[in-house]
């Protein structure tokens, strides 16, 4: 689901330079990979790599799509909120929650997300207002920092640049940066932990916003897993929530998921539910 994605607007000049620098780094990474080429797959590389997704839930995993692979993750999210205005309810639908992940190097993937269709229905008294928008797209990279070891979690660094496209109400005024660190650790074959810590800008440097997620996962069988997660912000209005869900691996590279949960604070949306599908194409190069 894509309510995990921070939308950051504003007109702070220094922030623009940082955001454009992120875009340049991402483009340069792609250029270097394309220019230098990727080494041919060895016998070990040709084995089917494990399949890991960033959905469901709010947080993203620290695992990288293997080089040469293209992975799609998408779904639909329904969110409901009773606002502080008396007798007003807001229902929002986000789709297709698409994340396109491209494995460039063993420790680097390129990501495209956003550009979602957003439908919002506001019920107030006897009146219903309907709004149709398109969210701003984001180009990003995920860089592996450490590999999971006996005492070390798998960690990755996300560098995101949200672009000023889409509906006026959904897009930032300029290219807008955000950063995040993700960590994953398997306590055993059946129990795992995941956490995210992120920061971004909104309305200039004075409105730096932070966000966190932390989740526990449980493998119920070879194909079925479940998780529970707490997420929220680190400053500003207290928008904390809880969600849980299931994933089912239909094949080695095809997964279905369902998730949802309530708010933990009054400032957060009351509840949401989501369902999605993730799949990876055969190796392309």
């Amino acid at each position: 689901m894509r309510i995990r994605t921070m939308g950051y607007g504003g007109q702070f000049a220094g922030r623009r330079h940082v955001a454009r620098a992120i875009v340049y780094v991402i483009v340069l990474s792609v250029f270097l990979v394309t220019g230098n080429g990727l080494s041919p797959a060895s016998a070990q590389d040709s084995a089917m790599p494990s399949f890991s997704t960033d959905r469901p839930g709010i947080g993203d995993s620290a695992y990288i799509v293997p080089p040469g692979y293209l992975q799609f993750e998408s779904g639909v999210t329904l969110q409901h909120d009773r606002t502080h205005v008396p007798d007003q309810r807001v229902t929002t639908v986000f789709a297709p929650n698409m994340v396109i992940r491209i494995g460039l190097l063993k420790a680097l993937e390129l990501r495209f997300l956003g550009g979602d269709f957003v439908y919002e229905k506001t019920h107030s008294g006897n009146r219903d207002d309907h709004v149709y928008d398109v969210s701003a797209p984001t180009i990003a990279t995920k860089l592996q920092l450490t590999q999971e070891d006996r005492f070390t979690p798998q960690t990755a660094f996300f560098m995101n640049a949200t672009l000023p496209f889409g509906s006026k109400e959904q897009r930032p005024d300029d290219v807008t940066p955000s950063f995040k660190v993700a960590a994953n650790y398997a306590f055993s074959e059946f129990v795992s932990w995941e956490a995210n810590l992120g920061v971004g800008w909104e309305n200039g440097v004075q409105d730096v916003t932070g966000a966190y997620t932390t989740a526990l996962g449980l493998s119920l069988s070879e194909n079925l897993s479940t998780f529970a997660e707490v997420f929220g912000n680190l400053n500003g209005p207290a928008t904390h929530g809880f969600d849980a869900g299931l994933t089912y691996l239909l094949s080695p590279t095809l997964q279905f998921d369902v998730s949802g949960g309530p708010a933990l604070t009054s400032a957060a949306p009351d509840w949401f539910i989501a369902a999605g599908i993730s799949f990876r194409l055969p190796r392309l190069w």
Side-chain angles (χ1 to χ4, degrees), residues 233-253:
N233 65 323
L234 297 173
N235 57 326
T239 55
H240 305 282
F242 169 85
D243 68 319
L246 293 167
T247 62
Y248 182 75
L249 199 62
L250 187 64
S251 76
T253 57

Side-chain angles (χ1 to χ4, degrees), residues 93-110:
V93 177
F94 306 86
N97 296 168
M98 179 66 73
V99 181
I100 302 173
R101 304 172 60 188
I102 305 170
L104 296 180
L105 298 171
K106 186 177 180 180
L108 177 68
E109 74 173 52
L110 179 66

Side-chain angles (χ1 to χ4, degrees), residues 33-183:
V33 171
T34 305
N36 294 332
L38 291 172
S39 58
S42 64
Q44 183 177 0
D45 292 336
S46 62
M48 176 70 71
S50 60
F51 184 59
S52 173
T53 67
D54 284 348
R55 61 171 302 126
I58 306 302
D60 292 310
S61 78
Y63 300 116
I64 307 293
V65 171
Y69 287 94
L70 182 62
Q71 188 163 308
F72 297 88
E73 304 176 14
S74 66
V76 178
T77 301
L78 172 65
Q79 177 180 290
H80 182 78
D81 187 31
R82 287 183 177 271
T83 69
H84 295 295
V85 178
D87 197 31
Q88 184 180 82
R89 302 187 299 274
V90 179
T91 301
T92 310
V93 177
F94 306 86
N97 296 168
M98 179 66 73
V99 181
I100 302 173
R101 304 172 60 188
I102 305 170
L104 296 180
L105 298 171
K106 186 177 180 180
L108 177 68
E109 74 173 52
L110 179 66
R111 303 161 59 85
F112 299 95
L113 57 154
D116 286 333
F117 169 77
V118 182
Y119 165 70
E120 184 176 276
K121 174 186 174 182
T122 302
H123 176 81
S124 183
N126 296 321
R127 178 179 175 180
D128 289 340
D129 292 324
H130 305 268
V131 177
Y132 303 87
D133 288 320
V134 176
S135 67
T138 297
I139 182 173
T141 56
K142 183 196 291 191
L143 175 66
Q144 179 182 298
L145 300 178
T146 62
Q147 287 187 329
E148 189 170 346
D149 203 348
R150 184 177 178 183
F151 300 109
T152 307
Q154 177 100 358
T155 60
F157 179 70
F158 293 71
M159 195 163 50
N160 308 313
T162 301
L163 308 179
F165 302 113
S167 301
K168 183 177 180 181
E169 294 76 11
Q170 297 285 333
R171 68 173 184 251
D173 298 327
D174 204 341
V175 178
T176 306
S178 62
F179 306 93
K180 181 165 64 176
V181 175

Side-chain angles (χ1 to χ4, degrees), residues 23-38 104-105 108 110:
V23 175
Y24 296 153
V25 169
I26 293 172
V27 172
L28 179 60
S29 299
V30 177
F31 174 78
L32 290 175
V33 171
T34 305
N36 294 332
L38 291 172
L104 296 180
L105 298 171
L108 177 68
L110 179 66

